[in-house]
Amino acid sequence: MSKKVELFFMKYASTDDEWQSVVMEVKDTLVVVDIYNKIWGPCEVLANNFLNLYYELSDKLSLRFVRAEVDHLEEPSLAHFKGSAQANFLFYLDGELIRDVKGPNIPEIKELINTKAPPLQA
């Protein structure tokens, strides 16, 4: 069994207030959300990949990673993820959903980050 990676840079949303503050109210930053439910948990398969992406890109791009436990969120747009075992990654920019990636497709996730994340402001 693989060792669990501590994701110190990851934000978490398990309440509607947290969802608003760490996803919907964020401006000029690409927010990558790992949507999960309590039964299945977040996508641990990608933990090391997210860590690598953070170190590779966080000094160049305005980027945030969030894990959102959908069971406790009342956000209507997330209702269809409740009970799902499939990994889903949502990409938000300025509070707007711009893409949904199904499954742990790291090449697609990395490409979206590289093309959609705004550059850091000096």
Side-chain angles (χ1 to χ4, degrees):
M1 180 173 239
S2 65
K3 184 179 173 184
K4 187 174 179 178
V5 176
E6 181 63 35
L7 300 176
F8 62 89
F9 60 90
M10 186 74 68
K11 303 287 184 192
Y12 294 89
S14 57
T15 68
D16 289 325
D17 287 342
E18 289 171 344
W19 174 259
Q20 287 299 315
S21 68
V22 300
V23 177
M24 302 307 288
E25 295 172 359
V26 176
K27 301 295 180 204
D28 301 319
T29 298
L30 182 69
V31 181
V32 181
V33 183
D34 177 3
I35 293 288
Y36 71 97
N37 63 58
K38 190 173 184 175
I39 294 171
W40 297 103
C43 188
E44 293 299 337
V45 171
L46 292 184
N48 280 322
N49 294 91
F50 283 151
L51 185 63
N52 290 338
L53 286 170
Y54 173 80
Y55 280 122
E56 179 184 341
L57 302 172
S58 66
D59 64 337
K60 301 174 203 135
L61 300 174
S62 186
L63 177 65
R64 172 181 282 184
F65 291 97
V66 175
R67 283 188 166 168
E69 186 179 344
V70 73
D71 300 304
H72 299 292
L73 299 173
E74 298 301 323
E75 174 65 37
S77 66
L78 303 177
H80 65 283
F81 293 110
K82 291 184 179 188
S84 174
Q86 181 178 22
N88 286 281
F89 302 91
L90 307 179
F91 292 76
Y92 285 85
L93 189 60
D94 296 328
E96 296 292 325
L97 178 65
I98 61 169
R99 191 72 178 272
D100 176 2
V101 174
K102 295 182 183 344
N105 186 340
I106 208 59
E108 184 177 1
I109 290 169
K110 188 173 182 178
E111 177 65 22
L112 279 166
I113 290 170
N114 279 311
T115 59
K116 301 295 183 185
L120 281 177
Q121 299 298 318

